[in-house]
Amino acid sequence: GAGVSQSPSNKVTEKGKDVELRCDPISGHTALYWYRQSLGQGLEFLIYFQGNSAPDKSGLPSDRFSAERTGGSVSTLTIQRTQQEDSAVYLCASSLNSQSPLHFGNGTRLTVT
Amino acid sequence: DQQVKQNSPSLSVQEGRISILNCDYTNSMFDYFLWYKKYPAEGPTFLISISSIKDKNEDGRFTVFLNKSAKHLSLHIVPSQPGDSAVYFCAAGDSGNTPLVFGKGTRLSVIA
């Protein structure tokens, strides 16, 4: 079966615009995570879904960031009024359950100019 | 406050020798630990894990050691191969359904 799929792979946007990043997890995986990696940094946790609900949104950096997951499958991460500091690689991961290893997608490289 | 620390940003090792990547953590609630490997333009891939009830887990050329009293773990790769050149992330979690916490990574270069 296919792995975690993220789109787009690259996104360049102007400061102030909204962007939407998409994640298709592995079929049957109930847990879904968004992380981001800024230049020279580790993986920064953003948000976690168990099914369609998000028990942990503690990592979202500001109210410009939101995410949803529908049907227990696809998730979208939306960043409104993008800023240059939002430039990073946004990684999505899924796992069979919250105790299983994460399987990552290849990420979306977001550049805000 | 970094809960998972990888203090060496980079490491260079000769092919055939042992690579040792280190990781320290501060949260005593962490009870399982994982190593991920990341190539450029790809997402991290799971490599090996260890539960806090063990102090060693081995999988082929990869061995992870856990020292709970020191809150330290290490990944040993032997023998190192050029294809092992990548960024290695240490991650830690607890059984309370909280998300994994990752270190900043160590870039390993294996020189032929």
Side-chain angles (χ1 to χ4, degrees):
Chain A
V4 176
S5 176
Q6 291 187 246
S7 60
S9 54
N10 277 286
K11 176 73 178 178
V12 180
T13 190
E14 289 180 357
K15 179 181 169 181
K17 302 274 190 179
D18 297 352
V19 295
E20 198 172 271
L21 313 180
R22 178 187 166 104
C23 173
D24 275 285
I26 294 173
S27 177
H29 280 194
T30 61
L32 186 147
Y33 304 78
W34 284 98
Y35 285 82
R36 76 174 175 182
Q37 185 180 15
S38 304
L39 193 62
Q41 300 298 311
L43 300 177
E44 175 191 3
F45 168 74
L46 298 178
I47 188 170
Y48 152 62
F49 289 92
Q50 181 61 45
N52 288 338
S53 64
D56 193 340
K57 302 180 182 179
S58 62
L60 293 178
S62 76
D63 58 9
R64 296 185 296 105
F65 287 72
S66 63
E68 63 176 18
R69 188 181 187 194
T70 54
S73 183
V74 172
S75 175
T76 52
L77 176 70
T78 302
I79 309 172
Q80 295 178 307
R81 305 180 303 281
T82 51
Q83 303 294 311
Q84 287 186 329
E85 63 262 27
D86 300 335
S87 297
V89 176
Y90 288 80
L91 290 157
C92 174
S94 69
S95 64
L96 204 55
N97 54 59
S98 59
Q99 304 300 310
S100 305
L102 306 186
H103 296 262
F104 283 87
N106 286 337
T108 294
R109 180 175 295 279
L110 175 66
T111 304
V112 182
T113 61
Chain B
D1 177 35
Q2 271 189 277
Q3 295 187 71
V4 176
K5 298 179 187 178
Q6 293 178 257
N7 291 320
S8 298
S10 63
L11 175 68
S12 190
V13 170
Q14 204 76 31
E15 180 181 7
R17 299 286 186 106
I18 185 170
S19 295
I20 300 176
L21 296 105
N22 293 302
C23 178
D24 297 292
Y25 61 96
T26 57
N27 189 339
S28 56
M29 297 299 292
F30 289 146
D31 58 9
Y32 73 101
F33 306 87
L34 308 91
W35 285 94
Y36 283 79
K37 175 179 177 179
K38 185 181 183 302
Y39 292 119
E42 294 182 11
T45 54
F46 170 70
L47 196 55
I48 193 169
S49 64
I50 189 166
S51 159
S52 61
I53 61 173
K54 292 186 170 183
D55 54 17
K56 176 182 174 181
N57 188 26
E58 192 172 351
D59 183 3
R61 296 185 298 112
F62 302 90
T63 304
V64 56
F65 295 92
L66 176 63
N67 182 335
K68 289 189 292 293
S69 60
K71 294 193 177 71
H72 177 84
L73 64 153
S74 60
L75 174 68
H76 291 209
I77 307 172
V78 56
S80 301
Q81 300 173 352
D84 297 329
S85 298
V87 177
Y88 289 79
F89 290 97
C90 171
D94 64 39
S95 303
N97 293 331
T98 54
L100 290 179
V101 178
F102 285 81
K104 290 190 176 185
T106 296
R107 181 178 301 279
L108 173 66
S109 299
V110 180
I111 304 161

